[in-house]
Amino acid sequence: MLLVLLPSLVAGQIPALSLPLRCTPGEDCWIANHVDLDPGPGARDYACGEFTYDGHNGIDIALRDLKAMAEGVPVLAAAPGRVLRARDSMPDASVRETGAGAVKDRECGNGVLVEHAGGLQTQYCHLRRGSVRVRSGKAVMAGDALGLVGLSGRTEYPHLHFTVRRGGAVVDPFRGLEDSSACGPGPAPLWAPAALASLPYAPRAIYNFGVAPEAITAEAARRGGHRAREIPATAAAYALWMEAFAVGAGDIVEMRVATPDGTVFFQERTTLEKRQARIFRIVAKKRGAAPWPAGTYANRISIVPKDGMTASVEFEAEVR
C-alpha cells in the first residue's frame, strides 16, 4: 500500500486556511453570517457587530441565486488533510418547504468533514446532491474540489456553511486560537493572508439586484431569471429590485433610478423597523400610453445604517 504523507499533517503545524469556495467575495459570493461569539442568548460577530445569529457555529458564504447554484460553484478544501466523513444523499430543497423535521440530526445536509494537522477540523455543509467527490479516508490538498454549493439540509438559500473546530470547540478563523476581547480580527487569524484580504467585514451586503419589466416576487428573483440589464420600451413597468443580508432596525433603504438625461425617474426611501437576516425590496413605475424613452438608465441602491458603513451598488440598464 502506498502511504501518502501530507506535509502539514506530518509536521503537526496548524495550517493556514484558504478560501473554501471558488468564487470572488463581493462579486459572485457573499458572507451571509459569521460565527456567533456571544456566550449568552445574544449574538455578536468577531467585529462586535450582529452579522450573525444566536448559536451560529460557522461562516455562511452565499451565492446570488438558484441559477448560480445550478451553474455550479466548487467547494474547496481549505487546507491539506484527510476526509473523516462525507454524505451525498440528501435532496436540494429549502427547509421552508420541507420543514425542520425532515432534516433533524442531518442539518448539515450533504457535507464533508476534514481533519487537519494540529487537531484542526473543517466542515463543509449544504452541498449539492450528487456533487460530493470525496469519501472517508481520502487525502486532500488545499484547493482540492470537495463538491458543489447546494441547498441540502437546514437552509433556505444556496450557500456553504463552513465550520472550524479544534478539540471539539468551534473556532472563528477571523479570531484564531489566540482570541481576545478586542473587536476585529484576532492577533493570529487562521485565514491565510490572501483569504483574509478577500473577506473584509461588510455587513448589510447587497448581494442580488437587477431590473425587471414587471413587479416580480422574491421567489422569481431568487430563481435567477431577472439578471438581465435590459427592459423593453413597451414593458408594463420599470422595476428596480434588490436583496440584502443583515439589515438593522433604523437602516434606511434608498432605491433610485435616473433617466438617460440625468432626471430622477423614480425613487423611494424606506426606514426599516426591525433587524432582519435577509430582505427583498422592489420599487416599480408603471408605463403610461407611450413607450419608455430609450437609452441608458442609472440605478442606485443604498442601505444607510444609523452608524457604520453604507452599503451601495450602482449599475446601468438599457431601455430598448
Side-chain angles (χ1 to χ4, degrees):
M1 178 184 295
L2 177 63
L3 178 63
V4 178
L5 299 180
L6 300 178
S8 63
L9 291 179
V10 173
Q13 297 176 349
I14 294 176
L17 303 178
S18 58
L19 193 68
L21 278 183
R22 188 173 297 156
C23 65
T24 302
E27 293 184 14
D28 55 6
C29 64
W30 294 261
I31 289 184
N33 284 294
H34 283 276
V35 176
D36 176 25
L37 298 175
D38 190 303
R44 174 175 56 87
D45 60 38
Y46 80 92
C48 299
E50 295 183 340
F51 201 172
T52 183
Y53 59 86
D54 186 28
H56 191 245
N57 68 358
I59 297 169
D60 292 339
I61 306 177
L63 306 186
R64 186 185 305 278
D65 51 34
L66 293 172
K67 183 178 179 180
M69 184 187 101
E71 291 167 347
V73 177
V75 174
L76 311 175
R82 196 173 306 281
V83 175
L84 292 180
R85 291 192 294 276
R87 179 167 55 214
D88 192 27
S89 59
M90 295 182 65
D92 293 287
S94 169
V95 73
R96 282 185 173 269
E97 299 173 0
T98 63
V103 296
K104 187 178 185 301
D105 300 324
R106 297 180 300 164
E107 286 82 359
C108 178
N110 301 318
V112 177
L113 180 65
V114 180
E115 181 179 41
H116 309 280
L120 208 67
Q121 292 183 352
T122 54
Q123 186 177 17
Y124 311 77
C125 294
H126 311 313
L127 274 58
R128 201 168 92 187
R129 182 165 65 177
S131 76
V132 177
R133 299 173 59 174
V134 295
R135 294 294 181 266
S136 299
K138 179 177 175 58
V140 294
M141 299 300 294
D144 283 356
L146 304 177
L148 299 173
V149 177
L151 192 66
S152 61
R154 187 162 188 166
T155 181
E156 298 178 10
Y157 53 91
H159 74 278
L160 169 69
H161 177 93
F162 178 67
T163 298
V164 181
R165 296 183 180 89
R166 190 179 190 227
V170 173
V171 179
D172 186 340
F174 287 96
R175 283 293 181 90
L177 302 179
E178 303 174 28
D179 198 1
S180 69
S181 59
C183 300
L190 295 186
W191 291 119
L196 184 63
S198 73
L199 296 169
Y201 186 74
R204 298 165 177 85
I206 302 171
Y207 70 97
N208 199 11
F209 50 87
V211 295
E214 57 186 346
I216 63 170
T217 64
E219 288 69 26
R222 292 165 185 168
R223 286 194 293 269
H226 293 280
R227 291 184 178 181
R229 300 289 188 257
E230 185 174 311
I231 297 254
T234 55
Y238 186 114
L240 174 64
W241 61 270
M242 72 88 162
E243 289 192 280
F245 289 125
V247 296
D251 286 0
I252 298 172
V253 177
E254 298 177 343
M255 302 179 71
R256 180 181 184 273
V257 180
T259 59
D261 64 4
T263 303
V264 175
F265 188 36
F266 62 89
Q267 61 183 349
E268 182 177 277
R269 180 184 173 97
T270 306
T271 300
L272 301 180
E273 297 181 352
K274 61 181 180 179
R275 181 178 177 276
Q276 293 177 266
R278 182 170 64 147
I279 62 166
F280 173 82
R281 288 289 183 275
I282 185 167
V283 182
K285 183 172 183 176
K286 292 183 178 180
R287 182 176 62 85
W292 297 122
T296 303
Y297 288 62
N299 305 270
R300 178 179 172 83
I301 304 167
S302 299
I303 301 177
V304 184
K306 291 185 294 185
D307 50 29
M309 183 173 58
T310 295
S312 65
V313 293
E314 297 183 23
F315 66 97
E316 295 180 340
E318 295 293 324
V319 171
R320 302 180 189 278

